[in-house]
Amino acid sequence: MQILDFNSKVFLAPMAGITDKPMRQIVSSLGPGIMVSEMVAINALSRKNAKTYKIADVRDEAYPVVVQLVGGDAELFADSAIFAEELGAHSIDINMGCPVKKIVGNHSGSYLMKDMSLASAIIRQVVKATTLKVSVKFRKGWDHNSVNAVEFAKMCEDCGASYITIHGRTRSDFYSGKADWDIIAEVKNAVKIPVIGNGDVTDVLKAKEMLDYTKADGVMVARAALGNPWIISDIHHYLEEGVIPQQKSLLEVKEIMQKHIISLVEYYGEKTALGLSRKYVCWYCKNLRDARKFRENYMKINNWNDAMAEIEHYFTSLEA
Ligand SMILES: Cc1cc2nc3c(=O)[nH]c(=O)nc-3n(C[C@H](O)[C@H](O)[C@H](O)COP(=O)(O)O)c2cc1C
């Protein structure tokens, strides 16, 4: 089943603090895949908070960006969707899965799985307010005593969602334990709109396994993309052509890591980018020789030229 007008059925998941413009640029430069923004808080967006505005502004990106909104007020949601449309969103995703206490306490994220009437009001208002397609991302349920993903999925469909994404964990699981792919299969069976499966897809084979097992229409990958931005297009090519991806060469890893860091500098400025680059450097190098020593050295660095020189030095030492 075609998912909107996307060129792929493989999604880079929304990840706050990670799937920013630099990350999306890197992933999309490597091949097909669907980019989703970090979650954008509607309260902050409506106040035109500068940082939030920047997260929502995807106008100069060359590929479609699904902009994810989070909040708990239906009217504000509708206004924010219109605003996101003006800021270049390809479509709007509604976050009904975030487990974080602060978000849930604000009647947002996975709290909405406990309040179907507010959840449905939000979806209906957003669908009515914008010309863009609207999707919803949610979980298996609030906790193991209140698993309601199937009912919730039907509600999303009735309210006009164009597709849904389900993460096979409850809110009380946060990110622990194993994602339940059976619930994804049950949801797929219950609705006619496309269903995207999410949770524990770690490589191309797992992606195929999840799709075969659940019969979902698409797959969404979050944590496995950290330090491995190739995974989205690798899964796409594997699903389309059966090609098992080759291990990335040292040169490829170095070049993409540098490109990613340069793009962080362009987007955030040198000081912020240097701080942010530390986590990416750890992820990119996690399976490489002497990574610990390199990480220790990189963490001590406080200027840009030294950072680039340290990367060069490390990769040259690996080739020796
Ligand atoms: C650091 C981090 C940030 C996340 N931020 C968001 C977010 O902003 N919106 C959202 O819907 N899910 C968010 N998630 C959840 C992921 O999109 C995804 O549902 C979850 O990690 C399960 O997928 P995985 O097993 O492929 O990691 C986040 C996950 C992580 C690890």
Side-chain angles (χ1 to χ4, degrees):
M1 194 189 288
Q2 170 80 19
I3 307 155
L4 304 189
D5 53 347
F6 295 127
N7 64 357
S8 178
K9 55 168 88 165
V10 190
F11 288 70
L12 173 66
M15 282 185 278
I18 293 163
T19 52
D20 53 9
K21 183 179 168 189
M23 177 74 170
R24 296 192 296 266
Q25 275 177 333
I26 290 293
V27 173
S28 63
S29 73
L30 295 166
I34 305 158
M35 305 299 126
V36 187
S37 76
E38 310 171 66
M39 61 180 166
V40 178
I42 59 165
N43 292 329
L45 191 62
S46 67
R47 290 195 307 271
K48 302 237 171 21
N49 170 288
K51 205 174 147 203
T52 310
Y53 182 95
K54 189 171 174 172
I55 297 177
D57 187 358
V58 299
R59 279 172 294 187
D60 65 347
E61 290 179 58
Y63 38 82
V65 182
V66 182
V67 171
Q68 189 189 63
L69 300 177
V70 66
D73 180 294
E75 272 179 35
L76 208 54
F77 234 112
D79 292 345
S80 300
I82 295 169
F83 197 24
E85 183 171 1
E86 285 164 16
L87 292 177
H90 163 277
S91 48
I92 304 291
D93 187 64
I94 303 180
N95 181 328
M96 296 197 176
C98 180
V100 174
K101 207 170 161 190
K102 206 175 126 201
I103 299 279
V104 165
N106 215 7
H107 291 187
S108 312
S110 54
Y111 166 85
L112 291 163
M113 294 206 71
K114 289 200 296 186
D115 189 340
M116 293 261 266
S117 98
L118 179 56
S120 60
I122 289 174
I123 302 168
R124 281 188 202 284
Q125 293 256 34
V126 175
V127 168
K128 204 168 122 197
T130 167
T131 62
L132 301 181
K133 302 284 187 206
V134 176
S135 56
V136 184
K137 179 168 180 275
F138 57 92
R139 287 185 173 233
K140 179 177 171 178
W142 175 257
D143 62 20
H144 289 270
N145 297 319
S146 57
V147 171
N148 62 345
V150 169
E151 193 189 349
F152 203 82
K154 287 183 183 160
M155 178 277 289
C156 294
E157 181 172 50
D158 288 345
C159 292
S162 292
Y163 68 92
I164 49 180
T165 304
I166 166 160
H167 175 194
R169 287 188 175 82
T170 65
R171 187 269 174 174
S172 63
D173 294 332
F174 276 72
Y175 296 97
S176 65
K178 215 169 150 234
D180 176 3
W181 289 357
D182 286 313
I183 194 79
I184 301 174
E186 284 174 42
V187 164
K188 170 63 194 163
N189 216 9
V191 293
K192 292 195 184 65
I193 52 175
V195 173
I196 316 305
N198 170 236
D200 296 350
V201 170
T202 46
D203 56 30
V204 299
L205 297 177
K206 277 273 174 209
K208 174 97 170 65
E209 195 185 321
M210 137 109 68
L211 290 175
D212 288 346
Y213 188 82
T214 63
K215 306 280 180 277
D217 304 283
V219 59
M220 179 178 274
V221 179
R223 290 167 294 178
L226 304 176
N228 183 9
W230 295 270
I231 191 166
I232 303 298
S233 55
D234 279 352
I235 293 174
H236 174 91
H237 290 303
Y238 181 65
L239 296 176
E240 292 294 312
E241 301 133 31
V243 182
I244 294 271
Q246 292 195 332
Q247 207 190 336
K248 307 307 170 231
S249 70
L250 283 176
L251 185 64
E252 280 174 293
V253 175
K254 183 183 101 174
E255 283 181 356
I256 285 297
M257 183 166 102
Q258 286 180 326
K259 206 170 144 191
H260 195 157
I261 297 171
I262 289 165
S263 149
L264 287 170
V265 173
E266 283 165 3
Y267 188 66
Y268 292 107
E270 189 168 324
K271 191 162 173 268
T272 307
L274 190 60
L276 292 174
S277 73
R278 294 189 175 128
K279 63 184 178 199
Y280 290 103
V281 161
C282 292
W283 289 326
Y284 277 110
C285 297
K286 62 178 181 267
N287 297 322
L288 300 182
R289 183 159 51 91
D290 299 332
R292 213 171 105 193
K293 182 84 195 115
F294 167 62
R295 282 199 304 267
E296 282 168 13
N297 292 341
Y298 194 90
M299 295 303 141
K300 290 183 208 139
I301 281 167
N302 52 24
N303 80 71
W304 194 244
N305 288 337
D306 288 356
M308 283 299 166
E310 188 61 39
I311 293 170
E312 277 300 334
H313 175 73
Y314 174 57
F315 279 87
T316 308
S317 78
L318 289 178
E319 280 155 20

